[in-house]
Amino acid sequence: MWGFRKSTFSGGDHTCVEIAHGVDRVLIRDSKYTGPSPDQPTLAITPGIWPAFLDLVLSGGSGRIGDQLIINVFADGSATLSETYGTMLEFNTAEWDAFTKGVANGEFTR
Protein backbone atom coordinates (compact mmCIF):
# COMPACT_ATOMS: atom_id res chain seq x y z
CA MET A 1 0.00 0.00 0.00
CA TRP A 2 1.34 3.40 -0.94
CA GLY A 3 1.25 6.15 1.65
CA PHE A 4 0.57 9.30 -0.37
CA ARG A 5 1.17 12.65 1.27
CA LYS A 6 0.63 16.25 0.26
CA SER A 7 2.23 19.55 1.17
CA THR A 8 1.22 21.12 4.45
CA PHE A 9 0.59 24.25 2.34
CA SER A 10 -2.20 22.49 0.40
CA GLY A 11 -5.85 23.10 1.05
CA GLY A 12 -8.28 20.35 1.92
CA ASP A 13 -10.33 20.57 -1.26
CA HIS A 14 -8.74 17.72 -3.26
CA THR A 15 -6.47 20.00 -5.24
CA CYS A 16 -3.05 18.75 -4.27
CA VAL A 17 0.09 17.23 -5.69
CA GLU A 18 0.51 13.96 -3.80
CA ILE A 19 3.74 12.00 -3.47
CA ALA A 20 4.49 8.44 -2.31
CA HIS A 21 8.01 7.12 -1.86
CA GLY A 22 8.68 3.45 -2.52
CA VAL A 23 11.87 1.43 -2.64
CA ASP A 24 12.13 1.38 -6.43
CA ARG A 25 9.96 4.33 -7.50
CA VAL A 26 8.35 7.57 -6.48
CA LEU A 27 4.69 8.03 -7.40
CA ILE A 28 3.11 11.39 -8.19
CA ARG A 29 -0.63 11.90 -8.48
CA ASP A 30 -3.26 14.63 -8.36
CA SER A 31 -5.76 14.46 -5.51
CA LYS A 32 -8.58 15.93 -7.59
CA TYR A 33 -8.95 12.50 -9.18
CA THR A 34 -10.99 10.24 -6.95
CA GLY A 35 -11.81 6.59 -6.95
CA PRO A 36 -9.65 3.53 -6.44
CA SER A 37 -5.91 4.26 -6.58
CA PRO A 38 -5.32 1.95 -9.58
CA ASP A 39 -7.82 4.01 -11.61
CA GLN A 40 -6.14 7.36 -10.90
CA PRO A 41 -3.57 8.77 -13.31
CA THR A 42 -0.20 8.39 -11.61
CA LEU A 43 3.35 9.14 -12.70
CA ALA A 44 6.17 6.84 -11.57
CA ILE A 45 9.82 7.87 -11.58
CA THR A 46 12.95 6.26 -10.23
CA PRO A 47 14.36 7.46 -6.90
CA GLY A 48 17.64 8.33 -8.64
CA ILE A 49 16.11 11.32 -10.44
CA TRP A 50 14.07 12.54 -7.46
CA PRO A 51 16.69 15.09 -6.31
CA ALA A 52 16.89 16.55 -9.84
CA PHE A 53 13.08 16.75 -9.92
CA LEU A 54 13.02 18.67 -6.61
CA ASP A 55 15.78 21.01 -7.84
CA LEU A 56 13.83 21.80 -11.01
CA VAL A 57 10.64 22.41 -9.01
CA LEU A 58 12.52 24.85 -6.76
CA SER A 59 14.01 26.66 -9.76
CA GLY A 60 10.52 27.56 -10.98
CA GLY A 61 11.51 26.51 -14.47
CA SER A 62 10.46 23.94 -17.01
CA GLY A 63 12.55 21.05 -18.22
CA ARG A 64 13.13 17.38 -18.70
CA ILE A 65 14.39 15.07 -15.96
CA GLY A 66 16.35 12.28 -17.60
CA ASP A 67 14.22 10.27 -19.95
CA GLN A 68 11.36 9.91 -17.48
CA LEU A 69 9.63 13.20 -16.72
CA ILE A 70 8.85 16.59 -18.26
CA ILE A 71 7.82 19.62 -16.20
CA ASN A 72 6.18 22.58 -17.89
CA VAL A 73 5.57 25.64 -15.73
CA PHE A 74 3.42 28.33 -17.33
CA ALA A 75 3.36 32.10 -16.95
CA ASP A 76 0.23 31.95 -14.76
CA GLY A 77 2.01 29.62 -12.30
CA SER A 78 0.20 26.45 -13.31
CA ALA A 79 2.19 23.39 -14.32
CA THR A 80 2.01 20.03 -16.04
CA LEU A 81 4.00 16.92 -15.26
CA SER A 82 4.21 14.27 -17.93
CA GLU A 83 5.98 11.03 -18.54
CA THR A 84 7.66 10.65 -21.87
CA TYR A 85 5.12 7.99 -22.92
CA GLY A 86 2.11 10.22 -22.39
CA THR A 87 0.54 10.25 -18.92
CA MET A 88 0.05 13.89 -17.92
CA LEU A 89 -1.05 15.60 -14.72
CA GLU A 90 -2.24 19.21 -14.80
CA PHE A 91 -1.95 21.43 -11.73
CA ASN A 92 -3.48 24.87 -11.33
CA THR A 93 -1.56 27.78 -9.83
CA ALA A 94 -2.68 27.14 -6.24
CA GLU A 95 -1.82 23.44 -6.43
CA TRP A 96 1.63 24.01 -7.90
CA ASP A 97 2.38 26.86 -5.50
CA ALA A 98 1.49 24.72 -2.47
CA PHE A 99 3.62 21.85 -3.77
CA THR A 100 6.58 24.15 -4.48
CA LYS A 101 6.34 25.58 -0.95
CA GLY A 102 6.31 22.05 0.46
CA VAL A 103 9.41 21.18 -1.58
CA ALA A 104 11.15 24.32 -0.30
CA ASN A 105 10.16 23.33 3.25
CA GLY A 106 11.80 19.89 2.84
CA GLU A 107 8.54 17.97 3.03
CA PHE A 108 9.28 15.65 0.10
CA THR A 109 12.93 14.82 0.64
CA ARG A 110 13.56 11.07 0.64
Side-chain angles (χ1 to χ4, degrees):
M1 180 95 190
W2 291 90
F4 281 92
R5 64 183 186 209
K6 63 181 181 174
S7 169
T8 59
F9 297 90
S10 297
D13 54 354
H14 294 288
T15 56
C16 311
V17 181
E18 293 184 318
I19 305 297
H21 292 282
V23 174
D24 63 345
R25 59 190 159 158
V26 178
L27 300 181
I28 306 167
R29 72 180 183 186
D30 186 341
S31 67
K32 68 178 152 274
Y33 296 103
T34 59
S37 290
D39 296 340
Q40 297 177 23
T42 304
L43 306 178
I45 62 173
T46 60
I49 69 165
W50 187 247
F53 170 74
L54 296 179
D55 288 345
L56 185 54
V57 169
L58 287 175
S59 78
S62 299
R64 181 181 216 109
I65 309 294
D67 62 351
Q68 298 177 44
L69 188 67
I70 301 165
I71 300 176
N72 287 306
V73 179
F74 302 98
D76 67 356
S78 64
T80 60
L81 301 178
S82 58
E83 292 173 315
T84 54
Y85 63 82
T87 300
M88 180 184 290
L89 300 176
E90 298 179 20
F91 298 100
N92 66 34
T93 304
E95 293 169 321
W96 194 249
D97 181 60
F99 178 64
T100 300
K101 288 176 179 173
V103 171
N105 201 38
E107 297 175 13
F108 299 105
T109 304
R110 286 184 62 87

